[in-house]
């Protein structure tokens, strides 16, 4: 995972609330065996509509999504986060996120910042007045800047620390590398090993 | 200095602590054995590739193909494209990351939870994980064995550890002697009916008591296998001489001095007399009868000699609502004798009941008998080796003479991911572990049973126990 300090990218106004994970990525895409390449699956039914925001030229390379309340509700599929990430999104701002979605996002390096309803509205208006405008997200200060607008967002200290350090769960565990190696050196000789393979006698 | 008395689960946990979690953080536990299959691993390997990470311990990892594999024509390419792609992905990943794999056609291929014990890789006192909920099976050896999700599979591949939150402990005490025709499957179905499908949530169960001690290893595996159906994190049985005898001489069992050291340690893996469980449950083995399910979750079960219950029999409003829905799905009328329920298909298989003892016990009943008219029976051994052994013992001939289909090893009709499925409305007596709506096929109806009940049912055509066959 890359370290996240500040990030600047095209802002996308998603004027919808209660965007559930079935909308973010429909179940038919769950049969895939890869963890990447889900960009085409993102909001796939909505994208069939030419009017949908991501189908409009200035937003096609969007990287910061500003969404309505209750984003990411529904099933626990991690694919929802993979789809947003693969499309190019680095940040989602919303007044409220579903817990599991937020947890999964943290694991995959997608920043989810909670902003007020009022600030959401302000950002939407500012973006729509200037489609394609970039927004700068400063994780250290927990602030987002768009033109002369500055909004504060919430993120818990632990997730913020992990994102700033660029640590996913595995990265975090690997910080204990010395402990793991030491533990391994003390394992009894009788413990099972799959290699070299032994057959029946 | 006094040492705090511990349960066996706590002992194994403590012996695998790499880092103790501070201030509410999870403990980091070392994983001794990681089992892999085609369905839950592809994204984990993809994650490794994405992050440029290797598999830390290929020598503690083993893969087998089971969930998707066909049980007929295994020498031909797999017809279903999704299944074939998943299998090919597993083969490719195993090769790329240096992991041992037992593919379709290989003598050690089979259901992941049958293969581990059969190779002697599953041992007392180790930690075992697999991206499959029935990993609890391995707890029969006194191992701490847990099912995990795909992200955790990736975590274990990369680090050979897992951050885990502490658990509570529950003793399941089963005292007495089982009557003839009653098996460990009946014990576990009765336990689940008693504590409910959520009753074990957050717990590691320890099966104890004279009835458990008397069981063979394979029968203990059947019990631990279904711990997950009670919602538990894991299930365990303390290892004893039966465990050691079963392991001795298996391909990967320790030898020489290693064996002696291991046994010495394994003998310490008993719950201390003074240890206190968070919860205790008692079951009388003496009065237990063959147990079967009537509904759509494994907790909806009754004695075979009983009748289909009325929703009003349940005190809890949620249970009542669940019963109404289940009766409708199962197309059953309250008050119907369980033994009057007519069965279309009998499935003998799955990681719950597909080992050699299961096949032997069913074959003994079927020998010289005739299959009920119109009924279909399929027998799917848990592994290629179990199949071979059965053929050496002539069990395959008994099944075929009886009119049953003799298949190649895999999960098969347990979850119907391969072509072995029930038709809508079809009713099965199944030795597997889940009777959820649609589990064995869309609209399919499942009654969970023991191998003995499965065999007797195949003869009579209605749910039956071996004792109903007297005079047949
Ligand atoms: S036999 Fe059934 S329960 Fe067992 S691993 Fe296969 S699908 Fe899962």
């Amino acid at each position: 995972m890359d370290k996240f300090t500040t990030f600047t990218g095209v802002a996308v106004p998603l004027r919808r609330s209660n965007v559930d994970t079935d909308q973010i990525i429909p179940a038919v895409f769950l049969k895939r065996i890869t963890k990447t390449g889900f960009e085409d699956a993102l909001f796939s039914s909505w994208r069939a509509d030419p009017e949908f925001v991501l189908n409009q030229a200035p937003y096609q390379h969007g990287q910061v999504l500003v969404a309505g309340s209750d984003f990411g509700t529904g099933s626990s599929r991690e694919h929802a986060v993979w789809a947003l990430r693969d499309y190019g999104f680095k940040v989602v701002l919303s007044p409220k996120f579903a817990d599991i979605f937020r947890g999964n996002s943290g694991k995959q390096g997608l920043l989810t910042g909670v902003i007020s309803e009022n600030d959401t509205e302000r950002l939407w208006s500012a973006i729509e007045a200037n489609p394609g405008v970039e927004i700068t997200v400063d994780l250290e200060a927990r602030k987002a800047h768009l033109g002369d607008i500055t909004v504060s967002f919430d993120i818990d200290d632990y997730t913020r620390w992990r994102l700033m350090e660029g640590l996913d769960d595995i990265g975090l565990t690997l910080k204990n590398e010395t402990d793991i190696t030491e533990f391994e050196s003390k394992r009894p000789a009788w413990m099972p090993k799959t290699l070299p393979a032994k057959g029946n006698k | 200095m006094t040492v705090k008395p511990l349960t066996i689960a706590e002992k194994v946990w403590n012996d695998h602590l790499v880092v103790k979690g501070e201030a509410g953080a999870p403990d980091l536990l070392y994983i001794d054995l990681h089992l892999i299959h085609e369905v839950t691993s592809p994204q984990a390997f993809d994650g490794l590739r994405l992050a440029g990470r290797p598999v830390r311990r290929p020598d503690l990892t083993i893969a087998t193909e089971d969930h998707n594999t066909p049980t007929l024509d295994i020498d031909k390419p797999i017809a279903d494209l999704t299944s074939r792609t998943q299998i090919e992905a597993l083969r490719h990943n195993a090769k790329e990351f240096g992991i041992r794999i037992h593919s379709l056609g290989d003598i050690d291929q089979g259901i992941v939870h049958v293969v581990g014990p059969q190779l002697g890789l599953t041992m007392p006192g180790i930690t075992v994980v697999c991206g499959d909920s029935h990993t609890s099976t391995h707890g029969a050896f006194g191992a701490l064995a847990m099912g995990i999700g795909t992200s955790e599979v990736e975590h274990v591949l990369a680090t050979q550890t897992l951050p885990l939150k502490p658990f509570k402990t529950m003793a399941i005490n089963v005292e007495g002697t089982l009557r003839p025709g009653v098996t460990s499957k009946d014990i576990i179905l009765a336990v689940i009916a008693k504590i409910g499908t959520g009753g074990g949530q957050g717990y590691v169960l320890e099966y104890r008591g004279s009835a458990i001690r008397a069981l063979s290893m394979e029968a203990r595996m059947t019990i631990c296998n279904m711990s997950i159906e009670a919602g538990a994190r894991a299930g365990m049985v303390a290892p004893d001489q039966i465990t050691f005898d079963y392991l001795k001489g298996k391909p990967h069992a320790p030898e020489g001095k290693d064996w002696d050291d291991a046994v010495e340690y394994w003998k310490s893996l008993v719950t201390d007399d003074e240890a206190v469980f968070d919860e205790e449950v008692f079951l009388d083995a003496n009065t237990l009868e063959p147990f079967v399910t009537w509904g759509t979750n494994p907790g909806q079960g009754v004695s075979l000699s009983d009748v289909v219950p009325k929703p009003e029999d349940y005190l809890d409003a949620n249970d009542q609502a669940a019963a109404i829905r289940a009766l409708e799905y199962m197309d059953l009328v309250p008050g119907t004798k369980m033994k009057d329920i007519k069965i279309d298909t009998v499935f003998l298989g799955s990681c719950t009941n597909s080992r050699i003892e299961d096949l032997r016990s069913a074959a003994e009943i079927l020998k010289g008998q005739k299959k009920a008219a119109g009924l279909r029976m399929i027998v799917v051994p848990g592994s290629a080796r179990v199949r071979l052994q059965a053929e050496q013992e002539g069990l395959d001939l008994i099944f075929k003479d009886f009119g049953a289909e003799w298949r190649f090893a895999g999960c098969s009709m347990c979850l119907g991911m391969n072509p072995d499925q029930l038709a809508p409305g079809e009713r099965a007596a199944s030795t597997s572990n889940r009777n959820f709506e649609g589990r064995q096929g869309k609209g399919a109806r499942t009654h969970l049973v023991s191998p003995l009940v499965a065999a007797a049912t195949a003869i009579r055509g209605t749910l039956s126990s071996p004792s109903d066959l007297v005079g047949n």
Side-chain angles (χ1 to χ4, degrees):
Chain A
M1 235 161 82
D2 296 333
K3 290 189 183 183
F4 196 116
T5 46
T6 63
F7 176 79
T8 302
V10 172
V12 178
L14 184 66
R15 278 192 180 267
R16 304 196 194 213
S17 56
N18 261 306
V19 175
D20 64 48
T21 52
D22 265 293
Q23 306 305 327
I24 301 174
I25 181 166
V28 294
F29 295 100
L30 308 189
K31 279 192 188 165
R32 292 188 178 171
I33 55 167
T34 55
K35 199 173 176 175
T36 53
F38 286 93
E39 55 276 5
D40 59 324
L42 180 69
F43 299 126
S44 89
S45 30
W46 290 346
R47 271 158 81 190
D49 170 9
E51 298 293 303
F52 182 62
V53 63
L54 287 182
N55 288 332
Q56 297 168 33
Y59 300 121
Q60 270 171 7
H61 299 289
Q63 293 183 293
V64 177
L65 189 67
V66 183
S69 198
D70 292 303
F71 189 85
T73 52
S75 94
S76 63
R77 60 189 71 158
E78 278 182 46
H79 304 67
V81 178
W82 303 343
L84 284 160
R85 181 202 58 196
D86 291 349
Y87 186 90
F89 283 104
K90 295 272 190 289
V91 181
V92 184
L93 300 174
S94 160
K96 197 166 175 231
F97 291 95
D99 281 343
I100 297 180
F101 174 82
R102 219 175 173 203
N104 289 342
S105 298
K107 284 183 185 160
Q108 302 294 332
L110 180 73
L111 192 165
T112 52
V114 174
I115 54 178
S116 70
E117 295 271 2
N118 195 24
D119 284 340
T120 309
E121 199 57 56
R122 283 171 67 209
L123 287 177
W124 280 341
S125 309
I127 301 165
E128 282 158 1
N130 190 4
V133 66
E134 294 194 329
I135 187 168
T136 297
V137 179
D138 179 348
L139 179 56
E140 175 144 38
R142 300 183 217 232
K143 289 197 192 321
H145 310 279
L146 188 150
D148 51 9
I149 301 177
T150 292
V151 303
S152 304
F153 62 84
D154 280 339
I155 184 164
D156 68 274
D157 292 340
Y158 180 67
T159 308
R160 172 170 165 269
W161 169 75
R162 272 187 13 176
L163 289 169
M164 290 183 63
E165 295 284 319
L167 292 171
D168 55 10
D169 267 358
I170 295 175
L172 212 56
T173 294
L174 287 174
K175 288 210 150 190
N176 298 309
E177 168 76 46
T178 337
D179 298 305
I180 300 174
T181 307
E182 185 180 329
F183 186 93
E184 283 177 330
S185 71
K186 292 187 186 147
R187 291 176 76 235
W190 56 262
M191 286 271 180
K193 281 217 173 73
T194 59
L195 295 171
K198 295 187 197 167
N200 265 48
K201 286 158 204 146
Chain B
M1 194 185 90
T2 52
V3 185
K4 183 179 177 279
L6 296 172
T7 64
I8 170 180
E10 290 161 335
K11 289 182 182 180
V12 179
W13 184 281
N14 290 346
D15 286 349
H16 286 82
L17 259 185
V18 177
V19 181
K20 179 111 191 86
E22 302 285 332
D27 290 347
L28 190 65
L29 250 63
Y30 199 80
I31 303 302
D32 294 316
L33 180 63
H34 188 188
L35 310 165
I36 285 177
H37 63 88
E38 72 273 21
V39 176
T40 53
S41 66
Q43 269 103 5
F45 283 109
D46 220 38
L48 289 185
R49 263 191 293 272
L50 224 55
R53 290 177 176 135
V55 171
R56 185 182 177 92
R57 297 295 300 262
D59 61 332
L60 303 184
T61 313
I62 187 168
T64 172
E65 301 166 2
D66 56 5
H67 281 64
N68 265 328
T69 51
T71 55
L72 288 171
D73 300 328
I74 63 165
D75 47 340
K76 304 213 180 83
I78 299 173
D80 179 70
L81 196 64
T82 322
S83 300
R84 200 197 309 166
T85 314
Q86 280 194 328
I87 300 264
E88 275 164 7
L90 180 68
R91 291 177 186 173
H92 173 88
N93 288 329
K95 193 157 179 232
E96 179 180 338
F97 290 91
I99 292 168
R100 172 176 171 190
I101 181 170
H102 292 293
S103 290
L104 202 55
D106 180 309
I107 182 68
D108 282 313
Q109 178 266 343
I111 306 174
V112 66
H113 310 308
V114 178
V115 169
Q118 156 185 302
L119 283 169
L121 288 167
T122 305
M123 294 177 195
I126 66 168
T127 47
V128 185
V129 297
C130 173
D132 183 278
S133 54
H134 292 95
T135 309
S136 56
T137 312
H138 308 262
F141 290 79
L144 184 63
M146 286 165 291
I148 56 176
T150 298
S151 297
E152 292 168 306
V153 170
E154 182 181 339
H155 197 114
V156 176
L157 287 171
T159 70
Q160 205 58 36
T161 63
L162 206 54
L164 289 165
K165 293 244 162 71
F167 55 87
K168 292 180 284 180
T169 55
M170 186 187 295
I172 309 281
N173 302 289
V174 192
E175 296 289 349
T177 311
L178 291 175
R179 291 187 284 201
V182 184
T183 67
S184 67
K185 180 69 164 278
D186 305 305
I187 294 181
I188 188 62
L189 285 172
V191 167
I192 299 165
K194 188 165 179 148
I195 70 175
T197 49
Q201 222 149 42
Y203 290 92
V204 172
L205 313 182
E206 182 183 332
Y207 303 97
R208 308 155 55 80
S210 55
I212 302 294
R213 296 261 71 91
L215 295 173
S216 71
M217 279 316 296
E218 299 195 354
R220 291 178 190 180
M221 282 189 247
T222 301
I223 293 201
C224 287
N225 173 275
M226 290 190 71
S227 304
I228 193 73
E229 269 62 55
R233 297 265 300 272
M236 296 176 89
V237 176
D240 56 15
Q241 198 57 44
I242 293 178
T243 320
F244 310 150
D245 292 346
Y246 187 86
L247 254 170
K248 183 97 190 166
K250 290 258 185 309
H252 285 269
E255 293 173 276
K257 181 174 180 312
D258 282 348
W259 173 263
D260 299 336
D261 291 348
V263 172
E264 191 187 317
Y265 172 70
W266 294 343
K267 285 185 172 161
S268 74
L269 295 175
V270 285
T271 291
D272 297 327
D273 289 341
E274 315 296 310
V276 184
F277 289 93
D278 296 305
E279 196 73 54
E280 291 219 48
V281 172
F282 297 87
L283 197 76
D284 182 5
N286 296 314
T287 56
L288 200 65
E289 292 179 49
F291 218 83
V292 295
T293 62
W294 57 267
T296 51
N297 77 53
Q300 290 173 324
V302 291
S303 288
L304 181 54
S305 59
D306 224 325
V307 297
V308 177
K310 296 193 283 292
E312 307 86 85
D313 297 346
Y314 294 87
L315 299 174
D316 180 89
N318 287 328
D319 291 345
Q320 264 187 29
I324 292 170
R325 191 178 155 79
L327 287 170
E328 190 185 316
Y329 182 85
M330 293 295 289
D331 192 26
L332 290 173
V333 180
T336 309
K337 286 193 183 130
M338 290 306 292
K339 287 190 181 178
D340 287 346
I341 297 175
K342 196 174 163 298
I343 297 296
D344 304 307
T345 294
V346 171
F347 171 59
L348 178 57
S350 90
C351 59
T352 316
N353 284 123
S354 64
R355 297 177 179 81
I356 193 69
E357 287 178 13
D358 300 312
L359 302 190
R360 280 183 198 142
S361 67
E364 196 180 319
I365 292 173
L366 299 179
K367 192 169 187 171
Q369 297 276 1
K370 267 192 60 168
K371 185 164 63 75
L375 180 139
R376 152 171 89 136
M377 178 173 191
I378 77 169
V379 184
V380 185
S383 70
R385 212 172 267 289
V386 169
R387 182 179 147 101
L388 186 72
Q389 165 105 32
E391 288 178 350
Q392 280 162 358
E393 296 179 17
L395 305 183
D396 59 322
L397 297 179
I398 298 179
F399 291 125
K400 287 187 215 161
D401 283 348
F402 177 74
E405 296 172 43
W406 177 242
R407 299 291 189 90
F408 287 91
C411 296
S412 176
M413 201 178 266
C414 173
L415 85 167
M417 240 181 137
N418 75 352
D420 306 340
Q421 294 180 8
L422 297 174
E426 203 176 339
R427 189 181 295 280
S430 175
T431 63
S432 56
N433 45 52
R434 284 184 175 155
N435 53 344
F436 299 151
E437 288 185 19
R439 168 85 176 179
Q440 297 188 294
K442 201 165 186 285
R445 303 182 174 124
T446 304
H447 296 274
L448 299 178
V449 301
S450 73
L452 298 184
V453 170
T457 300
I459 296 167
R460 286 169 45 99
T462 52
L463 286 176
S464 305
S465 89
S467 62
D468 297 323
L469 296 171
V470 179
N472 248 59

